[in-house]
Amino acid sequence: METKVLPADEHSLALAKQLIFSGEVVAFHTETVYGLGADARNDDAVKKVFAVKGRPSDNPLIAHVHRDYDISSLIDGEPPYAEKLRKAFLPGPLTMVYPSTGKVSRFVSCGLNTLSIRVPSSPTAQAFLRAVNIPIVAPSANLSKHVSPVSAQHVYDDFAGKIPLILDGGVCTGGIESTVLDCTGDVPQILRAGLVTREMIAEVAGDCGVYVMHEGERPKSPGMMYKHYSPRCRTAYFERDAVLGAVQKYREEESAGGVPYFLCSDADAERLPDFRVLNLGAMPEQMAARLYAALREGEKKATLIVAIRPEGEGGVMDGVLNRLTRACRGN
Ligand code: AMP
Ligand code: MG
Protein backbone atom coordinates (compact mmCIF):
# COMPACT_ATOMS: atom_id res chain seq x y z
CA MET A 1 0.00 0.00 0.00
CA GLU A 2 1.25 3.46 -0.89
CA THR A 3 1.20 5.91 2.03
CA LYS A 4 0.34 9.40 0.82
CA VAL A 5 1.49 12.39 2.87
CA LEU A 6 -0.66 15.42 1.98
CA PRO A 7 -1.55 18.79 3.49
CA ALA A 8 -5.24 19.20 4.27
CA ASP A 9 -6.89 20.67 1.16
CA GLU A 10 -10.04 20.00 -0.82
CA HIS A 11 -8.52 17.01 -2.61
CA SER A 12 -6.90 15.30 0.41
CA LEU A 13 -9.96 15.90 2.63
CA ALA A 14 -12.23 14.28 0.04
CA LEU A 15 -9.84 11.33 -0.08
CA ALA A 16 -9.71 11.16 3.73
CA LYS A 17 -13.51 11.13 3.88
CA GLN A 18 -13.76 8.38 1.30
CA LEU A 19 -11.14 6.29 3.16
CA ILE A 20 -12.79 6.77 6.55
CA PHE A 21 -16.24 5.84 5.23
CA SER A 22 -14.80 2.70 3.66
CA GLY A 23 -13.39 1.61 7.03
CA GLU A 24 -9.76 2.66 6.54
CA VAL A 25 -7.50 4.45 8.99
CA VAL A 26 -6.13 7.94 8.30
CA ALA A 27 -3.42 9.68 10.32
CA PHE A 28 -3.87 13.39 11.02
CA HIS A 29 -2.10 16.29 12.67
CA THR A 30 -3.35 17.63 16.01
CA GLU A 31 -1.87 20.26 18.33
CA THR A 32 -0.62 17.54 20.72
CA VAL A 33 0.69 14.59 18.67
CA TYR A 34 -0.45 12.97 15.38
CA GLY A 35 -3.51 10.72 15.67
CA LEU A 36 -4.42 7.48 13.87
CA GLY A 37 -8.09 7.99 13.05
CA ALA A 38 -10.98 5.69 12.14
CA ASP A 39 -14.82 5.75 12.10
CA ALA A 40 -15.81 5.36 15.78
CA ARG A 41 -19.11 3.68 14.80
CA ASN A 42 -17.52 0.96 12.66
CA ASP A 43 -16.37 -2.14 14.59
CA ASP A 44 -13.98 -3.31 11.90
CA ALA A 45 -12.44 0.14 11.44
CA VAL A 46 -11.88 0.47 15.20
CA LYS A 47 -10.36 -3.01 15.33
CA LYS A 48 -8.07 -2.02 12.47
CA VAL A 49 -6.66 0.82 14.59
CA PHE A 50 -5.68 -1.65 17.32
CA ALA A 51 -4.24 -4.07 14.77
CA VAL A 52 -2.17 -1.51 12.84
CA LYS A 53 -0.67 -0.12 16.06
CA GLY A 54 -0.24 -3.45 17.82
CA ARG A 55 -2.20 -1.85 20.67
CA PRO A 56 -3.43 -4.02 23.59
CA SER A 57 -7.17 -4.55 23.14
CA ASP A 58 -8.00 -3.32 26.66
CA ASN A 59 -6.52 0.18 26.18
CA PRO A 60 -9.43 2.50 25.24
CA LEU A 61 -9.45 5.07 22.42
CA ILE A 62 -10.44 8.74 22.43
CA ALA A 63 -13.31 9.93 20.20
CA HIS A 64 -12.45 13.16 18.34
CA VAL A 65 -15.09 15.60 17.08
CA HIS A 66 -15.07 19.05 15.47
CA ARG A 67 -15.89 22.14 17.50
CA ASP A 68 -19.57 22.37 16.49
CA TYR A 69 -20.32 18.65 16.78
CA ASP A 70 -23.22 17.90 19.14
CA ILE A 71 -21.86 15.35 21.64
CA SER A 72 -25.15 14.99 23.56
CA SER A 73 -26.02 11.69 21.85
CA LEU A 74 -22.63 10.20 22.77
CA ILE A 75 -22.57 11.07 26.47
CA ASP A 76 -25.04 10.29 29.23
CA GLY A 77 -25.20 13.75 30.81
CA GLU A 78 -22.47 15.92 32.25
CA PRO A 79 -21.82 17.57 35.63
CA PRO A 80 -21.92 21.42 35.72
CA TYR A 81 -18.13 21.66 36.09
CA ALA A 82 -17.64 19.73 32.84
CA GLU A 83 -19.68 22.24 30.86
CA LYS A 84 -17.55 25.04 32.32
CA LEU A 85 -14.36 23.17 31.41
CA ARG A 86 -15.53 22.58 27.85
CA LYS A 87 -16.26 26.28 27.43
CA ALA A 88 -12.88 27.22 28.92
CA PHE A 89 -10.56 24.75 27.20
CA LEU A 90 -12.13 23.30 24.04
CA PRO A 91 -11.03 23.11 21.31
CA GLY A 92 -7.70 22.27 22.91
CA PRO A 93 -5.50 19.57 24.46
CA LEU A 94 -8.04 18.30 27.00
CA THR A 95 -9.80 14.90 26.77
CA MET A 96 -12.92 14.51 28.90
CA VAL A 97 -14.16 11.11 30.09
CA TYR A 98 -17.97 10.86 30.33
CA PRO A 99 -20.58 8.18 31.01
CA SER A 100 -21.19 6.66 27.58
CA THR A 101 -24.52 6.13 25.81
CA GLY A 102 -22.92 3.27 23.88
CA LYS A 103 -23.57 4.89 20.48
CA VAL A 104 -20.08 4.15 19.17
CA SER A 105 -18.45 0.78 18.54
CA ARG A 106 -18.07 -1.24 21.73
CA PHE A 107 -14.41 -1.71 20.86
CA VAL A 108 -13.71 2.00 21.49
CA SER A 109 -14.04 1.88 25.27
CA CYS A 110 -12.78 -1.69 25.75
CA GLY A 111 -15.56 -2.72 28.12
CA LEU A 112 -15.59 0.48 30.20
CA ASN A 113 -18.97 2.25 30.49
CA THR A 114 -17.30 5.59 29.75
CA LEU A 115 -16.33 7.39 26.55
CA SER A 116 -13.52 9.90 26.23
CA ILE A 117 -14.09 12.92 24.00
CA ARG A 118 -11.58 15.37 22.58
CA VAL A 119 -11.97 18.45 20.39
CA PRO A 120 -8.53 19.19 18.94
CA SER A 121 -7.75 22.78 17.96
CA SER A 122 -5.31 22.18 15.12
CA PRO A 123 -6.70 23.54 11.81
CA THR A 124 -5.80 20.25 10.07
CA ALA A 125 -7.68 18.19 12.66
CA GLN A 126 -10.67 20.55 12.55
CA ALA A 127 -10.80 20.44 8.74
CA PHE A 128 -10.63 16.64 8.76
CA LEU A 129 -13.26 16.22 11.49
CA ARG A 130 -15.56 18.71 9.79
CA ALA A 131 -15.17 16.92 6.44
CA VAL A 132 -16.23 13.56 7.90
CA ASN A 133 -18.67 15.01 10.48
CA ILE A 134 -18.66 11.80 12.58
CA PRO A 135 -16.74 10.91 15.77
CA ILE A 136 -13.26 9.68 14.86
CA VAL A 137 -11.43 7.44 17.29
CA ALA A 138 -7.73 8.10 17.38
CA PRO A 139 -4.86 6.99 19.55
CA SER A 140 -1.42 8.49 18.95
CA ALA A 141 -0.13 7.51 15.49
CA ASN A 142 2.84 5.45 16.64
CA LEU A 143 3.43 1.73 16.91
CA SER A 144 2.36 0.58 20.37
CA LYS A 145 4.99 1.43 23.02
CA HIS A 146 7.04 3.53 20.60
CA VAL A 147 7.57 7.28 21.01
CA SER A 148 4.53 9.38 19.99
CA PRO A 149 4.81 11.21 16.63
CA VAL A 150 5.09 14.99 16.41
CA SER A 151 5.69 15.23 12.65
CA ALA A 152 4.28 13.54 9.55
CA GLN A 153 7.72 12.01 9.03
CA HIS A 154 7.50 10.29 12.45
CA VAL A 155 4.15 8.77 11.44
CA TYR A 156 5.61 7.72 8.12
CA ASP A 157 8.58 6.10 9.87
CA ASP A 158 6.19 3.84 11.85
CA PHE A 159 3.45 3.21 9.27
CA ALA A 160 4.82 3.55 5.72
CA GLY A 161 3.07 0.95 3.56
CA LYS A 162 0.56 0.16 6.32
CA ILE A 163 -1.84 3.12 6.13
CA PRO A 164 -3.11 4.97 3.02
CA LEU A 165 -2.95 8.63 4.11
CA ILE A 166 -1.26 11.04 6.53
CA LEU A 167 -2.79 14.54 6.74
CA ASP A 168 0.30 16.66 7.25
CA GLY A 169 -0.17 19.76 9.38
CA GLY A 170 3.51 20.27 10.17
CA VAL A 171 5.16 19.84 13.55
CA CYS A 172 2.87 19.52 16.59
CA THR A 173 3.38 22.56 18.80
CA GLY A 174 2.05 20.96 22.01
CA GLY A 175 4.21 17.88 21.85
CA ILE A 176 2.70 15.64 24.55
CA GLU A 177 -0.66 13.87 24.51
CA SER A 178 -3.80 15.57 25.80
CA THR A 179 -4.68 15.80 29.47
CA VAL A 180 -7.18 13.00 30.19
CA LEU A 181 -9.78 14.12 32.74
CA ASP A 182 -12.35 11.86 34.38
CA CYS A 183 -15.62 13.85 34.45
CA THR A 184 -17.84 11.11 35.88
CA GLY A 185 -17.52 12.07 39.55
CA ASP A 186 -18.31 15.05 41.78
CA VAL A 187 -14.80 16.40 41.26
CA PRO A 188 -12.82 16.14 38.01
CA GLN A 189 -9.83 13.86 38.25
CA ILE A 190 -6.74 13.84 36.05
CA LEU A 191 -5.96 10.38 34.62
CA ARG A 192 -3.10 11.59 32.42
CA ALA A 193 -1.25 14.89 32.87
CA GLY A 194 -0.87 17.21 29.87
CA LEU A 195 -0.80 20.82 28.75
CA VAL A 196 -4.12 21.68 30.38
CA THR A 197 -2.81 21.48 33.93
CA ARG A 198 -4.36 20.60 37.26
CA GLU A 199 -4.00 24.24 38.30
CA MET A 200 -5.85 25.47 35.19
CA ILE A 201 -8.67 22.94 35.68
CA ALA A 202 -9.03 23.69 39.41
CA GLU A 203 -9.36 27.40 38.66
CA VAL A 204 -12.38 26.78 36.43
CA ALA A 205 -13.93 23.74 38.17
CA GLY A 206 -13.19 24.80 41.78
CA ASP A 207 -11.24 21.60 42.45
CA CYS A 208 -9.27 18.95 40.60
CA GLY A 209 -7.93 15.60 41.77
CA VAL A 210 -5.16 13.46 40.35
CA TYR A 211 -5.81 9.75 40.04
CA VAL A 212 -3.15 7.58 41.61
CA MET A 213 -3.35 3.86 40.95
CA HIS A 214 -3.13 1.73 44.09
CA GLU A 215 -1.60 -1.72 44.27
CA GLY A 216 -3.96 -4.51 43.23
CA GLU A 217 -6.61 -2.06 42.02
CA ARG A 218 -8.11 -2.28 38.53
CA PRO A 219 -6.86 0.86 36.78
CA LYS A 220 -9.44 3.47 35.72
CA SER A 221 -7.59 3.75 32.47
CA PRO A 222 -5.85 0.58 31.27
CA GLY A 223 -3.31 2.62 29.30
CA MET A 224 -1.73 3.54 32.63
CA MET A 225 -0.34 0.03 33.06
CA TYR A 226 1.68 -0.13 29.93
CA LYS A 227 5.23 0.76 29.16
CA HIS A 228 4.98 3.77 26.86
CA TYR A 229 6.81 6.23 24.71
CA SER A 230 10.03 4.18 24.54
CA PRO A 231 12.87 4.97 22.15
CA ARG A 232 14.50 1.97 20.45
CA CYS A 233 17.88 2.46 22.12
CA ARG A 234 18.75 1.77 25.76
CA THR A 235 17.88 4.46 28.28
CA ALA A 236 18.72 5.47 31.84
CA TYR A 237 17.10 8.03 34.13
CA PHE A 238 18.72 10.03 36.92
CA GLU A 239 17.23 12.32 39.55
CA ARG A 240 18.75 15.73 40.13
CA ASP A 241 20.74 14.57 43.18
CA ALA A 242 22.35 11.79 41.10
CA VAL A 243 23.95 13.79 38.27
CA LEU A 244 27.37 12.32 39.13
CA GLY A 245 25.91 8.86 38.55
CA ALA A 246 24.58 10.07 35.19
CA VAL A 247 28.04 11.27 34.15
CA GLN A 248 29.54 7.96 35.25
CA LYS A 249 26.92 6.05 33.22
CA TYR A 250 27.75 8.17 30.17
CA ARG A 251 31.50 7.57 30.60
CA GLU A 252 31.02 3.81 31.01
CA GLU A 253 29.00 3.64 27.81
CA GLU A 254 31.69 5.54 25.95
CA SER A 255 34.46 3.31 27.31
CA ALA A 256 32.51 0.29 26.13
CA GLY A 257 32.52 1.71 22.60
CA GLY A 258 28.91 3.00 22.70
CA VAL A 259 27.51 6.41 21.79
CA PRO A 260 25.77 7.94 24.81
CA TYR A 261 23.71 11.15 24.75
CA PHE A 262 22.40 13.13 27.68
CA LEU A 263 18.75 14.16 27.49
CA CYS A 264 18.39 17.21 29.70
CA SER A 265 17.30 20.82 30.13
CA ASP A 266 19.15 23.74 28.62
CA ALA A 267 20.45 24.68 32.10
CA ASP A 268 21.96 21.20 32.59
CA ALA A 269 23.34 21.17 29.03
CA GLU A 270 25.30 24.32 29.88
CA ARG A 271 26.91 22.47 32.78
CA LEU A 272 27.85 19.58 30.45
CA PRO A 273 29.68 21.43 27.63
CA ASP A 274 31.95 18.55 26.59
CA PHE A 275 29.22 15.94 26.22
CA ARG A 276 26.77 14.96 23.49
CA VAL A 277 23.38 16.35 24.48
CA LEU A 278 19.76 16.17 23.32
CA ASN A 279 18.61 19.56 24.60
CA LEU A 280 15.02 19.84 25.85
CA GLY A 281 15.15 23.62 26.22
CA ALA A 282 14.33 25.88 29.13
CA MET A 283 10.60 26.24 29.85
CA PRO A 284 8.27 23.27 30.58
CA GLU A 285 6.17 24.09 27.48
CA GLN A 286 9.32 23.99 25.37
CA MET A 287 10.37 20.67 26.93
CA ALA A 288 6.93 19.20 26.15
CA ALA A 289 7.22 20.39 22.56
CA ARG A 290 10.73 18.96 22.12
CA LEU A 291 10.64 15.72 24.14
CA TYR A 292 9.37 13.22 21.55
CA ALA A 293 11.42 14.67 18.69
CA ALA A 294 14.49 14.43 20.95
CA LEU A 295 13.74 10.79 21.82
CA ARG A 296 13.22 9.90 18.15
CA GLU A 297 16.42 11.72 17.19
CA GLY A 298 18.23 10.00 20.05
CA GLU A 299 17.20 6.49 19.06
CA LYS A 300 18.74 7.09 15.62
CA LYS A 301 22.16 8.20 16.81
CA ALA A 302 22.62 7.05 20.42
CA THR A 303 23.23 3.59 21.87
CA LEU A 304 22.19 4.95 25.27
CA ILE A 305 20.12 7.98 26.28
CA VAL A 306 20.99 9.20 29.77
CA ALA A 307 18.07 11.35 30.94
CA ILE A 308 18.51 13.85 33.76
CA ARG A 309 15.34 15.01 35.47
CA PRO A 310 14.84 18.72 34.69
CA GLU A 311 14.28 21.11 37.58
CA GLY A 312 10.77 22.05 38.63
CA GLU A 313 7.39 20.44 39.21
CA GLY A 314 3.67 21.20 38.97
CA GLY A 315 1.89 22.67 35.97
CA VAL A 316 3.08 21.46 32.58
CA MET A 317 6.16 19.89 34.19
CA ASP A 318 3.93 17.12 35.60
CA GLY A 319 3.11 16.00 32.05
CA VAL A 320 6.73 16.29 30.92
CA LEU A 321 8.00 14.23 33.87
CA ASN A 322 5.28 11.59 33.38
CA ARG A 323 6.38 11.04 29.74
CA LEU A 324 10.10 11.34 30.45
CA THR A 325 10.09 8.78 33.26
CA ARG A 326 7.87 6.35 31.32
CA ALA A 327 10.21 6.62 28.34
CA CYS A 328 13.54 6.40 30.14
CA ARG A 329 13.15 4.75 33.54
CA GLY A 330 13.53 1.02 34.00
CA ASN A 331 14.51 0.35 30.41
P1 AMP B 1 -3.28 7.41 23.25
O1 AMP B 1 -4.10 8.34 22.42
O2 AMP B 1 -2.66 6.29 22.50
O3 AMP B 1 -2.25 8.16 24.01
O4 AMP B 1 -4.27 6.75 24.28
C1 AMP B 1 -5.44 7.35 24.75
C2 AMP B 1 -5.51 7.22 26.25
O5 AMP B 1 -6.69 7.87 26.71
C3 AMP B 1 -5.61 5.80 26.77
O6 AMP B 1 -4.38 5.19 26.92
C4 AMP B 1 -6.28 6.02 28.11
O7 AMP B 1 -5.31 6.33 29.08
C5 AMP B 1 -7.14 7.25 27.90
N1 AMP B 1 -8.57 6.90 27.76
C6 AMP B 1 -9.25 6.77 26.62
N2 AMP B 1 -10.55 6.45 26.86
C7 AMP B 1 -10.69 6.36 28.19
C8 AMP B 1 -11.78 6.04 29.07
N3 AMP B 1 -13.00 5.77 28.63
N4 AMP B 1 -11.53 6.02 30.41
C9 AMP B 1 -10.31 6.29 30.86
N5 AMP B 1 -9.24 6.61 30.09
C10 AMP B 1 -9.42 6.64 28.77
MG1 MG C 1 -0.22 6.78 22.70
Coordinates of all heavy atoms in Angstrom, one line a residue, residues 53 55 59-62 97 109 112 114-116 138-140 177 180 191-192 220-221 223-224 228, ligand 1:
K53 N -1.6 -0.6 15.0 CA -0.7 -0.1 16.1 C 0.0 -1.2 16.9 O 1.0 -1.0 17.5 CB -1.5 0.7 17.1 CG -1.6 2.2 16.8 CD -2.0 3.0 18.0 CE -0.9 3.0 19.1 NZ -0.8 4.3 19.8
R55 N -1.8 -2.4 19.4 CA -2.2 -1.8 20.7 C -2.9 -2.9 21.5 O -3.8 -3.6 20.9 CB -3.1 -0.6 20.4 CG -3.6 0.1 21.7 CD -4.4 1.3 21.2 NE -5.0 2.0 22.3 CZ -4.5 3.2 22.8 NH1 -3.3 3.6 22.3 NH2 -5.1 3.9 23.7
N59 N -6.9 -1.2 26.0 CA -6.5 0.2 26.2 C -7.4 1.1 25.3 O -7.3 1.1 24.1 CB -5.1 0.3 25.7 CG -4.5 1.6 26.1 OD1 -5.1 2.5 26.8 ND2 -3.2 1.9 25.8
P60 N -8.4 1.8 26.0 CA -9.4 2.5 25.2 C -8.9 3.6 24.3 O -7.8 4.2 24.5 CB -10.3 3.0 26.3 CG -9.4 3.2 27.5 CD -8.5 2.0 27.4
L61 N -9.8 4.0 23.4 CA -9.5 5.1 22.4 C -10.3 6.3 22.7 O -11.4 6.3 23.3 CB -9.8 4.6 21.0 CG -9.1 3.3 20.5 CD1 -9.5 3.0 19.1 CD2 -7.6 3.5 20.6
I62 N -9.8 7.5 22.3 CA -10.4 8.7 22.4 C -11.2 9.1 21.2 O -10.7 8.9 20.1 CB -9.4 9.9 22.7 CG1 -8.7 9.6 24.0 CG2 -10.1 11.2 22.7 CD1 -7.4 10.4 24.2
V97 N -13.6 12.5 30.0 CA -14.2 11.1 30.1 C -15.6 11.2 30.7 O -15.7 11.8 31.8 CB -13.3 10.2 30.9 CG1 -13.9 8.8 31.1 CG2 -11.9 10.0 30.3
S109 N -14.3 1.7 23.8 CA -14.0 1.9 25.3 C -13.6 0.6 26.0 O -13.4 0.6 27.2 CB -15.3 2.4 26.0 OG -15.6 3.7 25.5
L112 N -15.3 -0.5 29.2 CA -15.6 0.5 30.2 C -16.9 1.1 29.8 O -17.3 1.1 28.7 CB -14.5 1.6 30.2 CG -13.1 1.2 30.5 CD1 -12.1 2.3 30.3 CD2 -13.0 0.7 32.0
T114 N -17.6 4.2 30.0 CA -17.3 5.6 29.8 C -16.8 5.8 28.3 O -16.4 4.8 27.7 CB -16.2 6.1 30.7 OG1 -15.1 5.1 30.7 CG2 -16.7 6.1 32.1
L115 N -16.9 7.0 27.9 CA -16.3 7.4 26.6 C -15.5 8.7 26.7 O -16.0 9.6 27.3 CB -17.5 7.6 25.5 CG -17.0 8.1 24.2 CD1 -16.2 7.0 23.4 CD2 -18.2 8.5 23.3
S116 N -14.3 8.7 26.1 CA -13.5 9.9 26.2 C -13.7 10.7 24.9 O -13.7 10.2 23.9 CB -12.1 9.5 26.5 OG -11.6 8.7 25.4
A138 N -9.1 8.0 17.8 CA -7.7 8.1 17.4 C -6.8 8.0 18.6 O -6.9 8.8 19.5 CB -7.5 9.4 16.7
P139 N -6.0 7.0 18.6 CA -4.9 7.0 19.5 C -3.7 7.7 18.9 O -3.8 8.2 17.7 CB -4.5 5.5 19.7 CG -4.8 4.9 18.3 CD -5.9 5.8 17.7
S140 N -2.6 7.9 19.6 CA -1.4 8.5 18.9 C -1.0 7.6 17.8 O -1.0 6.4 17.9 CB -0.3 8.7 20.0 OG -0.1 7.5 20.7
E177 N 0.7 14.2 24.7 CA -0.7 13.9 24.5 C -1.6 14.7 25.4 O -1.1 15.2 26.5 CB -0.9 12.4 24.8 CG -0.1 11.4 23.9 CD 1.3 11.2 24.4 OE1 1.8 12.0 25.3 OE2 2.0 10.3 23.8
V180 N -5.9 13.8 30.1 CA -7.2 13.0 30.2 C -7.8 13.2 31.6 O -7.2 13.0 32.6 CB -6.9 11.5 30.0 CG1 -8.2 10.7 30.1 CG2 -6.3 11.2 28.6
L191 N -6.5 11.8 34.8 CA -6.0 10.4 34.6 C -4.6 10.4 33.9 O -3.8 9.5 34.1 CB -7.0 9.6 33.8 CG -8.4 9.5 34.3 CD1 -9.2 8.6 33.4 CD2 -8.4 8.8 35.7
R192 N -4.4 11.4 33.1 CA -3.1 11.6 32.4 C -2.8 13.1 32.4 O -3.6 13.8 31.9 CB -3.2 11.0 31.0 CG -1.9 11.2 30.2 CD -2.0 10.5 28.9 NE -2.8 11.2 27.9 CZ -3.1 10.7 26.7 NH1 -2.6 9.5 26.3 NH2 -3.8 11.4 25.9
K220 N -8.3 2.8 36.4 CA -9.4 3.5 35.7 C -9.2 3.6 34.2 O -10.1 3.7 33.5 CB -9.5 4.9 36.3 CG -10.3 5.0 37.5 CD -10.9 6.4 37.7 CE -11.6 6.4 39.0 NZ -12.1 7.8 39.3
S221 N -7.9 3.6 33.9 CA -7.6 3.8 32.5 C -6.5 2.8 32.2 O -5.4 2.9 32.7 CB -7.1 5.2 32.2 OG -6.5 5.3 31.0
G223 N -4.5 2.1 29.9 CA -3.3 2.6 29.3 C -2.2 2.9 30.3 O -1.1 3.0 30.0
M224 N -2.7 3.2 31.6 CA -1.7 3.5 32.6 C -0.8 2.4 33.0 O 0.3 2.6 33.5 CB -2.5 3.9 33.9 CG -3.4 5.0 33.7 SD -4.4 5.2 35.2 CE -4.4 7.0 35.4
H228 N 5.4 2.8 27.9 CA 5.0 3.8 26.9 C 6.1 4.6 26.3 O 7.1 4.7 27.0 CB 4.1 4.8 27.5 CG 2.6 4.6 27.2 ND1 1.8 3.8 27.9 CD2 1.8 5.1 26.3 CE1 0.6 3.8 27.5 NE2 0.6 4.6 26.5
Ligands
AMP1 P1 -3.3 7.4 23.2 O1 -4.1 8.3 22.4 O2 -2.7 6.3 22.5 O3 -2.3 8.2 24.0 O4 -4.3 6.7 24.3 C1 -5.4 7.4 24.8 C2 -5.5 7.2 26.2 O5 -6.7 7.9 26.7 C3 -5.6 5.8 26.8 O6 -4.4 5.2 26.9 C4 -6.3 6.0 28.1 O7 -5.3 6.3 29.1 C5 -7.1 7.2 27.9 N1 -8.6 6.9 27.8 C6 -9.3 6.8 26.6 N2 -10.5 6.4 26.9 C7 -10.7 6.4 28.2 C8 -11.8 6.0 29.1 N3 -13.0 5.8 28.6 N4 -11.5 6.0 30.4 C9 -10.3 6.3 30.9 N5 -9.2 6.6 30.1 C10 -9.4 6.6 28.8

